[in-house]
Amino acid sequence: MNTDTNTNGFLLKVDDLKTYFPVKKGLLRRTVGYVKAVDGVSLAVKPATSFGLVGESGCGKTTVARSILRLIPVTSGKVIFDNTDILAADASHLRSIRSGITLIFQDPFGSLNPRMTVGNIVGEPLKVHKKITGPDLTEQVRLILSKVGLPADAMNRYPHEFSGGQRQRIGIARALVLQPKFVICDEPVSALDVSIQSQILNLLKDLQQEFSLTYLFIAHDLAVVQFSCDTVAVMYMGRIVEQASAGELYNNTLHPYTVALMAAIPKINASQQASTHRLKGEIPSILNPPPGCPFNPRCPFAGDRCFAQNPPLLPVSGRPEHLLACWHI
Amino acid sequence: MGDNKQQKTWGTSYGEMVWKEFAKSRFTLCWLGFIILLFMLAIFAPFLANDKPFVIRIAGQLHWPIFKALTASDYGIFLAAIVAFIQFLLVLRNRRCVDPSIRAGVLWRQITISVFIVLVGIILLFIFIPRRLDATDYKSMVASGKATGAVFAPVPYGFGRTDLKVREQPPNRQHWLGTDDVGSDVLCRLIHGSRISLSVGFVAVGISSIIGIIIGAILGYSGGKTDFIGMRFVEIMMAVPVFFLIITIVAFFPRSLFNIMLIIGLTTWTDDARFVRAEFFKLRRQDFVQAAVSLGLPLRSILFRHMLPNAIAPVLVNATFGIAGAIFIEAALSFLGFGVAPPTPSWGQILSLGVSTTGRFLWWLTLFPGLAIFFTVLAYNLVGETLRDAIDPRLRESV
Amino acid sequence: MSDNGILLDIKGLCVSFFTEDGVARAVQDVSFSVKKGETFALVGESGCGKSVTALSVMRLVADPPGKIVAGEINFDDRNLLELSDQRIRAVRGNRIAMIFQEPMTSLNPVYTVGEQIVEVVRLHQKKEEAEAWDIAAEMLRKVGIPDPVQRVNEYPHQMSGGMRQRVMIAMAISCKPELLIADEPTTALDVTIQAQILDLLDQLQEQSRMSILLITHNLGIVAERAENVAVMYASRIVELSDCKSLFDNPLHPYTQGLLQSLPRLGFTGKRLYTIPGIVPEPLRFPAGCKFHPRCPIGCNDKRCQTVEPQLRRLDNGRGACQSDRQVACWFAPGYERPDDPKI
């Protein structure tokens, strides 16, 4: 779709990212173990494309997003953005990097400071990073607010006076006001009403075209991710288990987890009738994952090898763009 | 003017919402009015109770003894009150005439100017107004016909004046609330005493809130080891019985008002610190703070623009209770004889005279200051209670 | 049982919330009926009044500020709104049970799940304690919880969200209710768990022939699980139909818009259809048809702007009424009657 052929290849490269949270116990808060929230995730995003991360709650998709921005301490790995290593940057460098990668949040109610006017929320990054003040600032804020479809008088109002969809537009305006290259959308529509979701999804697509933005799009809804993204990666328990272009993933689903995920989505069309393919059991505790492939307790095809070894993420033969982590296929 | 049209599109800020919620309780508004009245009383105490007349004609010449007798600190209080009142009017004006987006900046500029004016003014006053002692007995001059046309304050007695002829008198025509053991007018001393009680409450709580906010913010934002050690220190402070600590300290230091304020402030900050720390802990994980971090905003902005205004509400509520508590502590200290030194009047001190050296129970010396303490503490507590209720539902709804 | 096998019949239900800022009419003139053994879905966006309708059936609308202003709720030919508080308590949890959206907060954290089920069973069925514990374990087994005999002694926080929702269901069905009200039962759950829970509800329904009033915002769930459906918008039902016809041929522009605006699996097109504008708040409903500001057909129509259409059966032109489909739109074919106001 977007055929911007940057010869350098990728805008963002994440290499073997690991984010472990220590589990502390007792009076002296000794570390007794680790929650491997993200356990060796690698991904690469081309400029002006959308990369989707999809998975159920607790699979680590949000942790990936926050690790990329170093909002939480990362255990190991590399995050290369625009030829700089984010994880190695010092504090002041990090601040300038953060003006190039911005974040759109899930919760339109919690992500805006209730004590600040919309004008201040959207304008503050400009003031800090670009040193714009006075009428220039007002003008730029007004411009970006109109781009996301908000009235100009929104500037002098407070977040609580807006509906969920409008608040999400404010969040988008804040994320785009610095003209970043890369935007991480963390479940941008999952808290919104059905009739508002499509407005926001379209808006994100329009803005991507206008400013040739690159998205890392995180969601639990496979249909939303497929609509919005060029490449989709499915995560399960801190790892990517399957990754392919949106069309390929739908037409040629390989990993049993992806198959089950698709089957579980309630369908509207009579042609896509409810599948009887159901996953048994629940996501195992991430504190002590099962040995071997973490999906093995729920997998209908699990064999001996699945219980012994965790499968690596490798290209499917004949389709170099389709990556899969499963012994079975 | 497009003023009217523009006004409609302005949002309602959090403060305005809280005020609207607060003002719904007419009952508490009355008590807020009572506190404001008390402040007026304290500010204008020398005009309400003074043994010197405003104006007097002696030997055909007009004199203004009251204005000459006022000290630099009296004039300083007037100046501060006037500037504070103008500042208050400016805030009201800002609400209608300044864009909400730049209101905070404008407000800070105005406050800085106000504080500057007051500080410079007070310094100048202390330099240029000498302390004069005027021991003239104007009343006897009027009585003996040496002076005419005197206009006295409503309570024509000075708080330092002693008159052993009228000691320990119950309420009567001349002394509405009676006199104490050295013949000073109780009403006059009550009015002047309000200055002590109110300023103790304000300054002590100001000190404790500032300490509490700073310590709480540091602990809450840094977390980890700093927080662990800091909280243990706070817990130790909390375990100390504050009142006895204060009595012990006061016993070692000179009995001055300033010392008492400082000691109360330095020992009662633990609640504020805990509140702010808890709020910061919660806020640190909130998306809008994460958003501020992810946008690369400087730490100063994150702490003071994004976190502190959202954490201040419980401190504000606690402050009103704290003021009541400080007034109480001061009264108790004075009652026990550790308070301000006489002749400076304070409510607790008047109260302590209720049982005189002769063993008689002088009920008017106990009842009136007791009522004053009671109603002031009650008013602050009611205001705090209503403020908490006004803040709480909004917090639950919007954060 | 009553004639036509109708279990729950709601007629002209109006619920208002009396707030300081004005009267919010949360439910206006809602009528529908649930047959015995069927799944009836009430679908709509947040604030459309679907949950308030459900709470009204249980008589759980918070009063004040809420108040059921008008209407009847006939359950098994008795008007629930006329029952005394004591009688309604005997119905609640016994003949009508409810499960809520949030499995994290709808169980009491200080009691074991067994104690909570036993309490309900003993209250409504007058069973001995030992027998009630057996029933509790049996219910947990029925909702697919492994090792039910041990798990009755667990506390809610020891279980995952999906398990807790199963416990909620176990508690709800422990008295073999005739009607189960499921208020967004799976919204807080992951899709794979959601499918399990919905399967469980289907299976329980098959065993006991209970009716389910399913409240959801998810049209996919409705399409897969319900027989009849009412679409609510801004406190009114705008379309009432059997499920198949609704999804094959939606009549109300709102329903049409909703169905078109959903991203579907496998759809990777350029843009989604959108309904413009925002969902109106109950205190600021527009005049006329409440959907007209967002409607592609009615936004400029004088009648849509001034006169609110009522929910009614469609006229197929031959004097007879078409099946059971009802809609509230001036532009739906066969909607208009000769005595309607002309503008």
Side-chain angles (χ1 to χ4, degrees):
Chain A
M1 193 173 74
N2 294 304
T3 48
D4 183 317
T5 45
N6 188 337
T7 40
N8 297 341
F10 302 105
L11 180 66
L12 178 88
K13 250 187 117 154
V14 176
D15 202 18
D16 200 25
L17 182 76
K18 286 179 183 164
T19 305
Y20 297 171
F21 297 116
V23 181
K24 291 183 174 165
K25 272 211 175 121
L27 185 69
L28 294 172
R29 320 269 296 137
R30 277 231 303 276
T31 304
V32 293
Y34 288 96
V35 170
K36 301 183 175 181
V38 177
D39 194 12
V41 163
S42 302
L43 51 89
V45 189
K46 284 194 189 124
T49 64
S50 299
F51 188 98
L53 267 184
V54 66
E56 294 180 282
S57 58
C59 74
K61 54 193 193 299
T62 296
T63 312
V64 170
R66 308 218 165 175
S67 301
I68 288 173
L69 274 168
R70 261 174 70 185
L71 290 175
I72 43 179
V74 174
T75 309
S76 74
K78 254 188 183 163
V79 179
I80 312 287
F81 171 69
D82 217 10
N83 299 325
T84 39
D85 189 348
I86 295 182
L87 301 186
D90 61 24
S92 69
H93 194 183
L94 186 63
R95 269 208 290 280
S96 74
I97 292 173
R98 280 173 177 167
S99 68
I101 310 181
T102 54
L103 196 50
I104 295 170
F105 289 83
Q106 166 179 9
D107 177 9
F109 291 89
S111 60
L112 304 174
N113 189 341
R115 305 283 200 282
M116 282 166 77
T117 61
V118 172
N120 281 341
I121 290 171
V122 177
E124 198 186 0
L126 275 180
K127 239 198 262 180
V128 169
H129 287 288
K130 306 235 159 121
K131 312 276 178 248
I132 299 172
T133 49
D136 284 353
L137 183 74
T138 314
E139 196 43 50
Q140 291 226 18
V141 172
R142 207 180 296 264
L143 191 74
I144 193 78
L145 286 180
S146 74
K147 281 262 190 282
V148 299
L150 284 170
D153 72 10
M155 279 192 72
N156 284 322
R157 285 153 72 190
Y158 292 82
H160 65 85
E161 289 162 278
F162 294 89
S163 69
Q166 288 171 314
R167 282 162 158 255
Q168 202 56 304
R169 288 173 196 267
I170 298 169
I172 293 172
R174 173 178 62 188
L176 296 186
V177 74
L178 288 171
Q179 296 170 322
K181 291 180 186 163
F182 195 87
V183 179
I184 300 173
C185 311
D186 188 0
E187 301 263 16
V189 296
S190 61
L192 303 178
D193 272 324
V194 186
S195 72
I196 307 300
Q197 270 191 18
S198 59
Q199 293 177 0
I200 298 294
L201 289 175
N202 279 347
L203 174 69
L204 286 172
K205 266 205 168 173
D206 295 345
L207 292 168
Q208 178 170 40
Q209 291 222 314
E210 184 169 351
F211 300 111
S212 57
L213 295 168
T214 313
Y215 285 149
L216 177 62
F217 200 99
I218 291 161
H220 69 273
D221 187 337
L222 201 51
V224 166
V225 174
Q226 274 198 343
F227 166 73
S228 310
C229 298
D230 307 295
T231 311
V232 178
V234 181
M235 280 188 78
Y236 189 76
M237 289 192 74
R239 291 165 169 273
I240 292 178
V241 294
E242 186 167 10
Q243 177 183 330
S245 71
E248 164 86 6
L249 192 75
Y250 178 70
N251 294 319
N252 190 15
T253 319
L254 292 176
H255 198 284
Y257 177 64
T258 319
V259 174
L261 205 56
M262 282 195 189
I265 297 176
K267 317 289 184 306
I268 286 172
N269 312 28
S271 57
Q272 303 174 306
Q273 245 329 308
S275 151
T276 49
H277 184 101
R278 285 282 182 267
L279 276 183
K280 295 269 179 296
E282 310 197 8
I283 303 177
S285 160
I286 198 145
L287 245 172
N288 32 20
C293 171
F295 188 57
N296 65 37
R298 305 174 79 188
C299 185
F301 311 108
D304 290 345
R305 203 172 180 190
C306 305
F307 289 98
Q309 258 183 310
N310 202 345
L313 187 69
L314 295 172
V316 178
S317 57
R319 294 194 192 83
E321 297 283 294
H322 195 148
L323 308 177
L324 183 71
C326 182
W327 295 121
H328 186 69
I329 291 138
Chain B
M1 285 292 283
D3 212 292
N4 236 351
K5 211 175 107 204
Q6 224 184 353
Q7 202 179 327
K8 260 183 212 154
T9 66
W10 281 4
T12 327
S13 74
Y14 178 80
E16 286 163 352
M17 281 195 300
V18 169
W19 170 249
K20 236 175 89 184
E21 198 71 25
F22 184 90
K24 272 182 200 156
S25 168
R26 304 273 159 210
F27 181 67
T28 315
L29 275 186
C30 293
W31 286 104
L32 189 67
F34 175 75
I35 292 177
I36 292 170
L37 202 77
L38 267 184
F39 267 90
M40 303 295 256
L41 211 70
I43 291 164
F44 298 110
F47 292 150
L48 293 171
N50 210 321
D51 56 346
K52 300 180 182 55
F54 287 96
V55 59
I56 195 166
R57 188 185 295 274
I58 305 171
Q61 261 195 317
L62 276 182
H63 290 270
W64 305 86
I66 207 170
F67 297 99
K68 276 191 186 151
L70 287 180
T71 60
S73 46
D74 285 325
Y75 281 111
I77 289 170
F78 296 152
L79 176 71
I82 290 165
V83 172
F85 185 65
I86 293 172
Q87 180 62 57
F88 176 69
L89 291 182
L90 280 175
V91 170
L92 287 187
R93 186 187 151 274
N94 288 354
R95 263 194 53 198
R96 282 186 293 115
C97 308
V98 181
D99 264 10
S101 295
I102 54 169
R103 219 180 267 166
V106 171
L107 181 68
W108 276 117
R109 211 164 45 233
Q110 289 168 350
I111 287 180
T112 318
I113 294 171
S114 299
V115 169
F116 180 76
I117 291 174
V118 170
L119 285 181
V120 170
I122 286 177
I123 291 170
L124 290 179
L125 285 170
F126 270 93
I127 293 172
F128 289 108
I129 299 185
R131 191 168 167 78
R132 286 155 302 194
L133 273 174
D134 181 5
T136 325
D137 189 349
Y138 292 100
K139 259 179 266 172
S140 61
M141 285 173 81
V142 174
S144 63
K146 270 194 223 159
T148 50
V151 181
F152 279 96
V155 183
Y157 304 99
F159 65 79
R161 273 294 165 101
T162 53
D163 187 354
L164 293 174
K165 280 179 291 191
V166 291
R167 60 196 291 265
E168 296 186 1
Q169 278 193 353
N172 55 46
R173 276 275 172 85
Q174 270 75 45
H175 302 279
W176 296 344
L177 301 186
T179 58
D180 65 7
D181 58 339
V182 290
S184 290
D185 184 69
V186 171
L187 180 56
C188 167
R189 287 183 70 80
L190 270 184
I191 291 173
H192 283 268
S194 66
R195 285 187 155 188
I196 306 289
S197 292
L198 292 182
S199 56
V200 163
F202 246 70
V203 177
V205 166
I207 293 170
S208 83
S209 296
I210 290 171
I211 297 174
I213 287 173
I214 291 173
I215 292 184
I218 292 171
L219 298 187
Y221 190 79
S222 51
K225 279 217 176 64
T226 321
D227 178 53
F228 184 84
I229 295 166
M231 274 318 281
R232 297 299 85 76
F233 176 63
V234 170
E235 277 156 19
I236 291 168
M237 284 296 294
M238 287 176 69
V240 175
V242 172
F243 191 71
F244 294 101
L245 179 70
I246 292 172
I247 290 179
T248 316
I249 296 174
V250 167
F252 284 100
F253 288 95
R255 290 164 70 184
S256 87
L257 182 63
F258 183 72
N259 275 348
I260 290 173
M261 290 174 177
L262 198 68
I263 290 162
I264 296 178
L266 286 176
T267 45
T268 54
W269 51 267
T270 47
D271 277 347
D272 289 324
R274 274 170 56 240
F275 288 144
V276 174
R277 172 184 170 269
E279 291 292 317
F280 266 52
F281 245 67
K282 213 165 59 190
L283 287 169
R284 219 163 48 141
R285 282 186 215 103
Q286 292 237 305
D287 274 351
F288 68 86
V289 175
Q290 294 280 304
V293 176
S294 78
L295 283 164
L297 301 183
L299 188 62
R300 182 170 34 88
S301 163
I302 293 166
L303 284 180
F304 295 113
R305 267 173 75 95
H306 292 266
M307 292 176 83
L308 194 55
N310 287 287
I312 209 83
V315 176
L316 214 65
V317 173
N318 195 42
T320 55
F321 295 129
I323 290 174
I327 291 173
F328 217 80
I329 291 178
E330 189 277 330
L333 282 176
S334 298
F335 181 79
L336 294 174
F338 293 109
V340 289
T344 318
S346 115
W347 292 347
Q349 194 188 58
I350 303 170
L351 195 92
S352 71
L353 299 172
V355 180
S356 80
T357 39
T358 54
R360 249 180 354 124
F361 174 55
L362 311 172
W363 59 269
W364 59 95
L365 287 181
T366 309
L367 180 67
F368 299 119
L371 283 179
I373 295 168
F374 174 74
F375 282 115
T376 311
V377 170
L378 179 74
Y380 273 112
N381 278 330
L382 282 171
V383 168
E385 205 72 58
T386 311
L387 190 63
R388 178 164 61 199
D389 292 348
I391 284 169
D392 252 4
R394 296 289 163 193
L395 273 182
R396 252 177 277 141
E397 200 177 276
S398 68
V399 179
Chain C
M1 276 302 109
S2 61
D3 48 332
N4 331 328
I6 286 175
L7 180 66
L8 178 74
D9 188 28
I10 298 181
K11 282 188 194 138
L13 181 71
C14 295
V15 184
S16 293
F17 286 86
F18 297 87
T19 67
E20 284 157 14
D21 304 321
V23 180
R25 305 177 66 186
V27 174
Q28 283 179 47
D29 196 17
V30 162
S31 307
F32 63 87
S33 52
V34 182
K35 293 194 195 77
K36 194 162 165 45
E38 79 163 341
T39 300
F40 186 95
L42 213 48
V43 66
E45 297 178 285
S46 60
C48 71
K50 55 188 194 302
S51 284
V52 177
T53 307
L55 289 174
S56 308
V57 176
M58 291 291 266
R59 288 251 308 263
L60 285 174
V61 177
D63 180 11
K67 204 166 171 61
I68 298 174
V69 186
E72 286 174 34
I73 298 175
N74 293 313
F75 176 72
D76 197 12
D77 287 342
R78 268 189 306 172
N79 188 351
L80 295 181
L81 300 181
E82 285 167 1
L83 292 187
S84 67
D85 282 358
Q86 201 185 344
R87 306 266 307 270
I88 192 78
R89 270 199 291 276
V91 174
R92 243 184 239 160
N94 190 17
R95 301 186 63 192
I96 306 178
M98 189 159 182
I99 48 179
F100 296 91
Q101 169 176 354
E102 207 37 82
M104 301 296 158
T105 52
S106 36
L107 286 170
N108 190 333
V110 301
Y111 296 111
T112 63
V113 296
E115 282 168 338
Q116 298 185 48
I117 299 175
V118 163
E119 191 192 353
V120 178
V121 172
R122 293 195 65 191
L123 177 70
H124 290 299
Q125 301 197 338
K126 312 275 176 284
K127 295 271 178 10
E128 289 303 311
E129 174 125 23
E131 202 184 341
W133 278 96
D134 290 343
I135 293 176
E138 167 65 15
M139 288 301 152
L140 289 186
R141 191 192 56 74
K142 235 179 169 173
V143 296
I145 292 179
D147 310 328
V149 181
Q150 278 97 56
R151 293 218 111 154
V152 285
N153 294 318
E154 283 191 1
Y155 287 90
H157 66 88
Q158 291 169 292
M159 300 182 151
S160 68
M163 280 297 163
R164 271 185 254 199
Q165 198 58 297
R166 281 171 195 269
V167 170
M168 277 304 297
I169 294 172
M171 205 189 298
I173 63 165
S174 60
C175 292
K176 306 198 171 55
E178 290 148 66
L179 176 67
L180 178 69
I181 301 174
D183 188 356
E184 304 266 10
T186 57
T187 306
L189 305 174
D190 283 319
V191 268
T192 55
I193 309 299
Q194 164 175 293
Q196 291 173 355
I197 296 289
L198 292 173
D199 283 352
L200 171 69
L201 285 177
D202 275 1
Q203 179 201 329
L204 291 171
Q205 186 176 30
E206 236 165 70
Q207 287 167 8
S208 66
R209 292 231 344 120
M210 67 178 171
S211 308
I212 296 180
L213 178 58
L214 178 69
I215 290 144
T216 181
H217 68 276
N218 189 326
L219 287 163
I221 293 177
V222 175
E224 281 190 359
R225 311 281 167 167
E227 277 102 54
N228 287 300
V229 54
V231 182
M232 285 188 78
Y233 182 79
S235 77
R236 273 181 186 272
I237 295 181
V238 293
E239 187 164 1
L240 183 76
S241 162
D242 62 292
C243 219
K244 192 173 176 327
S245 331
L246 183 95
F247 286 97
D248 287 348
N249 176 27
L251 294 173
H252 197 280
Y254 174 64
T255 322
Q256 292 165 357
L258 270 190
L259 286 173
Q260 283 177 59
S261 64
L262 276 182
R264 299 187 191 196
L265 211 51
F267 174 76
T268 52
K270 279 250 177 208
R271 287 182 69 85
L272 289 166
Y273 176 84
T274 59
I275 304 175
I278 58 171
V279 186
E281 292 168 46
L283 284 172
R284 283 179 219 120
F285 280 148
C289 172
K290 294 195 192 87
F291 188 61
H292 86 259
R294 307 176 70 188
C295 184
I297 320 166
C299 54
N300 293 320
D301 187 85
K302 258 271 145 46
R303 183 156 61 175
C304 292
Q305 285 166 1
T306 49
V307 188
E308 181 156 33
Q310 303 298 310
L311 188 69
R312 56 165 80 137
R313 288 194 163 74
L314 295 179
D315 188 349
N316 63 359
R318 276 165 285 164
C321 282
Q322 239 184 26
S323 68
D324 260 351
R325 298 199 72 175
Q326 296 179 47
V327 71
C329 175
W330 292 115
F331 283 93
Y335 178 82
E336 217 169 322
R337 305 269 165 84
D339 51 344
D340 281 336
K342 296 271 186 296
I343 296 174

